[in-house]
Amino acid sequence: MALSPAMQKLVANAKNKYSRGGGNRIKPKEGVNRYRILVPNPEEKFWADLGVHWIKEDPNGKPVAVVGCEDIVHDAPCPICTAIDLAISSAIDEDSRKLYSEWRARKSVLLNVLDRSKGSTNPDDVQILEVSTGTFGDIMGIVQQYADEGEDIFDPNSGLDIAIEKQGKGLNTKYTVNVAAGKNHAPVTAAHLKGCHDLSAHIEKEFFRGDEQKALNFIAQIAHINVPRLGAPAGASARTPTAALTSAAAKVKETTPDLTADLDEDDTPPFDVEEAAAP
């Protein structure tokens, strides 16, 4: 069965956008990973764009605030991005500039999948897979190739699993995407599709927890700049340093819980070095 016209358009747009040049999130592990991508509604977008600011005092330390990027997630002006850009432009040395650049949003893409990798203990549980934008672009490239031949790899009955091979670590990390080998591409059931997570709701719950002002205060304190104030009239900013702002920012590290406690061990940014925002 061929892709529907609406899905054809979505895939084509995604392929161009991402080409290189509820539940808990999982990420590809070292070696070959096998996934079945789930599309609960063939007429609607089945992925979600994720952008996260990891605000740290030290590049190797724990985050003071973990905040979603309004620009990437909601296609809206992001006060955190504005504050970071101002901090970078005001940096007095290269070390400061490098630190502030690390605060830029890290981009990735979320998908509903069945993890059919060897050794998977829950192949029938719908999980949220997080992949780099380049990897997602490669997936869309494969989807488009099959669509050009009249095949829909998302079809619940006749569709195909995707293999993502991860090699190396850090700067040497490489992801290779192919159609999974073999003929054992088990069908997707109605229960699988019904169990798909609301990806947008997941992002809201995990990364828009109301820590935006805390992040802005911390950026203002560390970079010694005026930053946008949430809810302020256009053009207004938080005046810094002042006693009130210094006090609020100083309390950030004391009162903030361990924001990495409910994140898996691979959630330490950046998700993928190749996808890190350019300074």
Side-chain angles (χ1 to χ4, degrees), residues 77 79 212-213 216 227-238:
E212 290 79 8
Q213 191 62 61
L216 289 172
V227 299
R229 187 171 65 249
L230 295 181
S237 61

Side-chain angles (χ1 to χ4, degrees), residues 37-210:
I37 298 174
L38 302 178
V39 179
N41 187 332
E43 304 299 324
E44 296 180 357
K45 181 179 176 180
F46 58 89
W47 69 91
D49 296 307
L50 175 61
V52 182
H53 295 286
W54 299 75
I55 309 300
K56 296 182 174 184
E57 185 175 7
D58 180 276
N60 298 318
K62 290 186 177 182
V64 170
V66 179
V67 184
C69 178
E70 291 283 353
D71 181 28
I72 295 172
V73 176
H74 300 137
D75 194 25
C78 179
I80 308 297
C81 287
T82 300
I84 292 170
D85 288 342
L86 182 57
I88 292 173
S89 65
S90 304
I92 60 174
D93 54 55
E94 192 56 36
D95 287 341
S96 296
R97 186 185 304 276
K98 182 177 180 180
L99 172 63
Y100 305 157
S101 296
E102 289 290 321
W103 297 341
R104 289 186 184 276
R106 307 301 181 180
K107 302 176 183 179
S108 59
V109 179
L110 303 186
L111 300 160
N112 279 293
V113 302
L114 300 177
D115 185 357
R116 293 176 169 175
S117 307
K118 288 184 178 181
S120 174
T121 58
N122 48 359
D124 282 317
D125 289 348
V126 180
Q127 302 190 62
I128 298 176
L129 175 67
E130 182 177 1
V131 297
S132 69
T133 56
T135 299
F136 183 65
D138 288 346
I139 293 173
M140 291 297 95
I142 291 175
V143 174
Q144 186 66 64
Q145 290 176 20
Y146 275 78
D148 290 344
E149 299 299 323
E151 296 185 50
D152 177 8
I153 71 170
F154 297 140
D155 185 271
N157 297 313
S158 60
L160 303 171
D161 298 342
I162 290 292
I164 301 177
E165 182 176 8
K166 179 182 178 182
Q167 296 176 311
K169 295 181 179 181
L171 293 173
N172 297 317
T173 302
K174 178 181 179 181
Y175 296 93
T176 305
V177 181
N178 291 292
V179 170
K183 299 181 180 180
N184 186 25
H185 299 264
V188 171
T189 68
H192 291 146
L193 296 176
K194 186 177 180 180
C196 284
H197 301 279
D198 184 329
L199 300 177
S200 295
H202 173 82
I203 292 174
E204 294 299 319
K205 178 181 177 181
E206 295 296 317
F207 299 106
F208 292 90
R209 302 176 177 180

